[in-house]
């Protein structure tokens, strides 16, 4: 691999970011010679890589989880740095058209925009928006206040105050600070709802609940301010004390952009353009949480949270996923302890541990194990069991965009269950596309993670990343085309070397908000007592 022609100024820039020139050179090489697509064998299904719980299993799993929660082993981890810009993209596009039209006849709003205006009063931010309008001397007409249609100038004013700094600027906020749900006592943001949910399953015996949010540096103060403003109510309402921490995506995980000819992309001043490396960069933040004592970490996206009265199914299945995780971890630790006790374990132990690996962790033994000596098999089993563990919830696929659970064959020939994104699958190989079309389940990014080894030491999570699962996408900067690199995704390539169990959960536990109109779905609209 030849090193790109970095200058001394480039080296100084990379040193300030904490990026080694060799790493930047490796990234350029990935653009020039992209890794192959992931090879999927078939989708995982119930009984074939996806576990379904029977009612008889639930009491013991719930009890095991609550035992761990009571002694403070549980942490909740919420990636919350995502901006709300995409939620409001249709509205922003229409506002731009209004601004461009000036005194011309108003352009006809597209269906999404018309639906937004027709349901304006149903959004939890309506009162905040109306107050912003009133401060500028503008009010909505009686028809609009009663839920009727808005007039042309009203539509223009509403969008200006909704989206820009002239008003409440929701499109400039992170998703976590968007009011999601309406209560008689006032609106509640996604950030607040995650705290309420966490209190239902994450409190220890003293009532302490640990929740960690990854946020953008420029928004951390706003999250902290909202927390302190709402802490008295939330802690009284939930009978909990929230220990909330924040972290940022490290600049050292940014990736170098290249131009269409695969040369490092340079800004007008000659400096290199580094871009955020995607949510896969947060594997470092997750690892830091483990180093701080997070034995069991429950991961969930910021936009996937329900109103309080609809949270009990999500709480129940969080506890069951955590219980499954702990039961599997306890078994794995037991086998590791016995396998590590010394050379020459009985053949029956090797066979028993191999069956556990295959049946419970969906890791078929490689063909080479058939001819391996007992000592070789012992070392293989120790390596296979001594790694981070996750129980990943999966739901029936109802058409949501995103990845799903598949059986994957690595270049070494080893087979394992993985979360695979659509973009990882070869678009022009009929066999691969047929496997994608046959998928029945979806990844809601709702994962229980065990991050400590049997001695209580945190795993080095960087050891278990599959570096071949990067994403390359065309982008632009200041009107110039470029190619951007995203690191292996947090729940796919970044966890590729983990042991994985997929658990089927009800679709009622999954309620993502990708566009503003998703907040009109019934699961987000029920008015709650609070």
């Amino acid at each position: 691999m030849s090193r790109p022609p970095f200058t001394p100024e480039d080296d100084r820039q990379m040193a300030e970011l904490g990026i080694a020139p060799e790493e930047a050179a490796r990234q350029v090489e990935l653009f020039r010679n992209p890794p192959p697509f992931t090879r999927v064998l078939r989708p995982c299904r119930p009984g074939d890589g996806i576990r379904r719980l029977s009612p008889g299993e639930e009491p013991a799993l719930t009890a095991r989880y609550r035992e761990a929660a009571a002694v403070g082993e549980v942490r909740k981890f919420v990636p919350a740095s995502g901006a709300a810009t995409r939620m409001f993209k249709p509205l922003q596009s229409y506002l731009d058209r209004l601004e461009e039209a000036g005194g011309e006849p108003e352009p006809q709003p597209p269906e999404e925009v018309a639906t937004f205006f027709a349901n304006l009063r149903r959004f939890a931010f309506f009162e905040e928006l109306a107050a912003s309008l009133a401060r500028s001397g503008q009010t909505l007409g009686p028809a609009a206040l009663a839920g009727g249609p808005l007039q042309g100038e009203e539509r223009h004013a509403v969008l200006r105050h909704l989206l820009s700094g002239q008003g409440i600027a929701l499109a400039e906020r992170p998703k976590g600070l968007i009011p999601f749900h309406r209560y008689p006592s006032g609106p509640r943001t996604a950030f607040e709802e995650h705290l309420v949910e966490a209190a239902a399953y994450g409190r220890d015996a003293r009532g302490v609940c640990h929740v960690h949010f990854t946020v953008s540096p420029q928004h951390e103060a706003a999250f902290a301010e909202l927390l302190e403003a709402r802490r008295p109510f939330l802690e009284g309402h939930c009978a909990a004390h929230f220990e909330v921490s924040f972290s940022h995506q490290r600049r050292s995980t940014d990736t170098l952009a290249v131009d269409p000819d695969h040369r490092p992309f340079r800004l007008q001043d000659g400096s290199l353009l580094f871009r955020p490396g995607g949510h896969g960069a947060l594997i470092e933040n997750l690892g830091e949480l483990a180093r701080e004592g997070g034995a069991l970490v429950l991961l969930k996206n910021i936009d996937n949270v329900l109103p309080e009265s609809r949270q009990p199914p999500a709480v129940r299945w969080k506890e069951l996923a955590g219980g499954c995780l702990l039961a599997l971890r306890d078994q794995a630790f037991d086998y590791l302890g016995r396998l590590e006790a010394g050379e020459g374990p009985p053949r029956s132990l090797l066979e028993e541990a191999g069956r556990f690996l295959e049946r419970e962790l969906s890791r078929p033994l490689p063909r080479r194990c058939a001819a391996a000596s007992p000592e070789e098999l012992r070392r293989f089993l120790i390596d296979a069991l001594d790694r981070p563990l996750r129980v990943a919830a999966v739901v029936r696929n109802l058409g949501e965009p995103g990845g799903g659970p598949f059986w994957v064959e690595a270049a070494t020939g080893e087979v394992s269950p993985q979360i695979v994104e659509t973009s990882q699958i070869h678009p022009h190989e009929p066999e691969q596309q047929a496997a994608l079309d046959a998928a029945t389940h979806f990844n809601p990014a709702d994962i229980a993670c065990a991050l400590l080894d049997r001695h209580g030491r945190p795993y080095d999570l960087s050891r278990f990343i599959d570096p071949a699962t990067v994403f390359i996408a065309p982008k632009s900067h200041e009107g110039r085309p470029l190619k951007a690199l995203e690191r292996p995704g947090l729940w796919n390539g970044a966890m590729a070397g983990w042991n994985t169990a997929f658990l089927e959960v009800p679709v009622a536990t999954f309620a993502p908000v990708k566009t503003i109109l998703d907040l009109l779905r019934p699961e987000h609209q029920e008015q709650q007592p609070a």
Side-chain angles (χ1 to χ4, degrees):
M1 180 178 68
S2 61
R3 171 174 159 158
F6 293 132
T7 67
E9 289 79 10
D10 296 338
D11 290 342
R12 282 192 288 272
Q13 180 185 355
M14 287 186 277
E16 289 177 1
L17 295 173
I19 298 172
E22 293 75 17
E23 170 61 14
R26 184 189 73 85
Q27 294 169 13
V28 173
E29 187 63 23
L30 284 171
F31 286 112
R32 294 172 177 166
N33 297 288
F37 289 98
T38 298
R39 177 166 178 73
V40 300
L41 299 177
R42 63 188 184 278
C44 295
R45 292 187 174 176
D48 184 29
I50 297 177
R51 180 176 179 177
R52 277 180 175 161
L53 294 182
S54 66
E57 294 177 276
E58 293 189 17
L61 295 175
T62 301
R64 179 67 183 93
Y65 170 82
R66 291 178 178 174
E67 174 187 313
V71 296
E73 289 190 7
V74 174
R75 304 288 187 275
K76 184 175 182 178
F77 181 88
V78 185
S81 55
T85 310
R86 291 184 183 178
M87 282 179 62
F88 297 96
K89 188 174 181 180
L91 300 181
Q92 185 64 61
S93 296
Y94 185 64
L95 175 59
D96 292 342
R97 289 170 59 196
L98 290 176
E99 301 286 358
E100 291 169 5
E104 299 296 322
E106 181 182 327
Q108 182 68 23
E111 183 178 356
E112 279 185 278
V113 177
T115 300
F116 169 78
F117 285 133
N119 293 276
L120 185 59
R121 283 190 62 85
R122 296 174 60 196
F123 291 101
F125 50 75
F126 175 78
E127 284 76 15
E128 185 182 0
L129 173 65
S132 176
L133 287 163
R135 284 193 296 271
S136 68
Q138 297 171 288
T139 57
L140 296 173
L145 291 172
L150 275 68
Q151 303 305 310
E153 184 52 38
E154 288 179 323
R155 287 196 290 266
H156 198 172
V158 162
L159 292 182
R160 280 200 307 266
H161 279 263
L162 181 76
L163 302 174
S164 74
Q166 179 179 336
I168 61 177
L170 288 193
E172 298 174 13
R173 299 184 193 180
K175 271 189 180 180
L177 297 182
I178 300 293
F180 267 29
H181 306 133
R182 173 181 275 118
Y183 294 80
S185 60
R188 201 178 284 175
T189 62
F191 172 70
E192 295 166 81
E193 293 288 32
H194 271 286
L195 295 176
V196 172
E197 183 192 276
Y201 55 67
R203 284 175 296 188
D204 65 19
R206 299 172 300 136
V208 176
C209 185
H210 296 269
V211 190
H212 184 86
F213 295 86
T214 63
V215 299
S216 300
Q218 65 269 31
H219 295 302
E220 181 177 346
F223 277 101
E225 182 179 342
L226 177 61
L227 173 64
E228 292 314 306
R230 295 287 288 164
R231 182 187 290 277
F233 167 77
L234 291 171
E235 293 192 339
H237 180 69
C238 300
H241 172 69
F242 292 106
E243 289 288 345
V244 178
S245 56
F246 301 100
S247 66
H248 311 143
Q249 187 169 311
R250 293 166 173 79
R251 292 300 309 274
S252 59
T253 64
D254 287 0
T255 57
L256 179 62
V258 298
D259 66 19
D261 295 320
H262 302 143
R263 297 171 303 196
F265 189 98
R266 295 188 180 276
L267 301 173
Q268 296 298 328
D269 62 2
S271 61
L272 299 170
L273 176 62
F274 286 92
R275 296 169 51 90
H279 58 64
L282 299 179
I283 197 73
E284 293 196 8
N285 304 64
L286 193 60
E288 184 61 32
L289 203 60
R291 289 188 286 275
E292 294 172 359
L296 193 165
V297 177
L298 304 176
L299 185 158
K300 192 174 185 181
N301 269 344
I302 187 66
D303 66 359
N304 179 21
V305 67
L306 289 156
E308 187 175 347
S309 74
R310 290 183 179 269
Q311 289 180 5
V315 170
R316 172 191 168 203
W317 283 96
K318 272 291 193 187
E319 292 185 331
L320 288 171
C324 283
L325 181 81
L326 291 166
L328 291 171
R329 188 194 70 176
D330 293 347
Q331 286 182 278
F333 284 178
D334 177 65
Y335 285 123
L336 280 168
R338 293 155 66 189
L339 288 167
E340 291 174 348
E343 296 184 7
R347 190 77 191 183
S348 59
L349 173 59
L350 297 175
E351 292 173 352
E352 187 181 339
R355 284 194 298 271
F356 170 74
L357 188 67
E358 290 189 318
R359 296 177 182 177
E360 301 299 329
L361 300 179
S362 301
R363 290 276 303 281
L365 295 180
R367 292 188 185 93
R368 68 178 185 275
C369 288
S373 69
E375 179 56 22
E376 289 172 331
L377 184 56
R378 182 183 80 94
R379 288 198 300 268
F380 170 81
L381 290 169
I382 289 173
D383 178 71
L385 292 170
D386 190 16
R387 55 185 61 204
L389 172 66
R390 62 177 172 169
V391 170
V394 293
V395 297
R396 281 279 174 182
N397 195 335
L398 300 179
E400 298 286 350
F406 288 85
W407 289 99
V408 169
E409 183 178 30
T412 60
E414 294 191 24
V415 174
S416 63
Q418 301 285 342
I419 295 170
V420 182
E421 299 289 336
T422 303
S423 59
Q424 292 177 255
I425 299 176
H426 201 300
H428 304 304
E429 286 192 7
E431 179 188 2
Q432 294 293 285
Q433 287 298 304
L436 177 62
D437 292 341
T440 58
H441 287 71
F442 173 81
N443 161 45
D446 195 351
I447 304 173
C449 310
L451 306 178
L452 306 182
D453 68 14
R454 74 184 188 92
H455 303 289
R457 299 172 303 206
Y459 284 107
D460 176 4
L461 301 185
S462 65
R463 291 180 48 226
F464 304 96
I465 298 172
D466 180 358
T469 54
V470 295
F471 296 86
I472 296 174
K475 302 284 184 180
S476 65
H477 184 81
E478 296 177 347
R480 297 158 55 201
L482 60 81
K483 290 184 180 180
L485 182 73
E486 286 196 9
R487 294 181 176 277
L490 182 58
W491 34 80
N492 34 327
M495 296 181 176
W498 295 31
N499 283 326
T500 298
F502 289 127
L503 176 67
E504 185 180 63
V505 303
V507 73
T509 64
F510 181 51
V513 177
K514 302 304 181 186
T515 76
I516 189 63
L517 297 188
D518 286 336
L519 289 173
L520 297 176
R521 292 183 177 187
E523 57 265 34
H524 288 290
Q525 278 291 304
E526 181 182 351
Q527 192 177 61
Q528 308 298 319

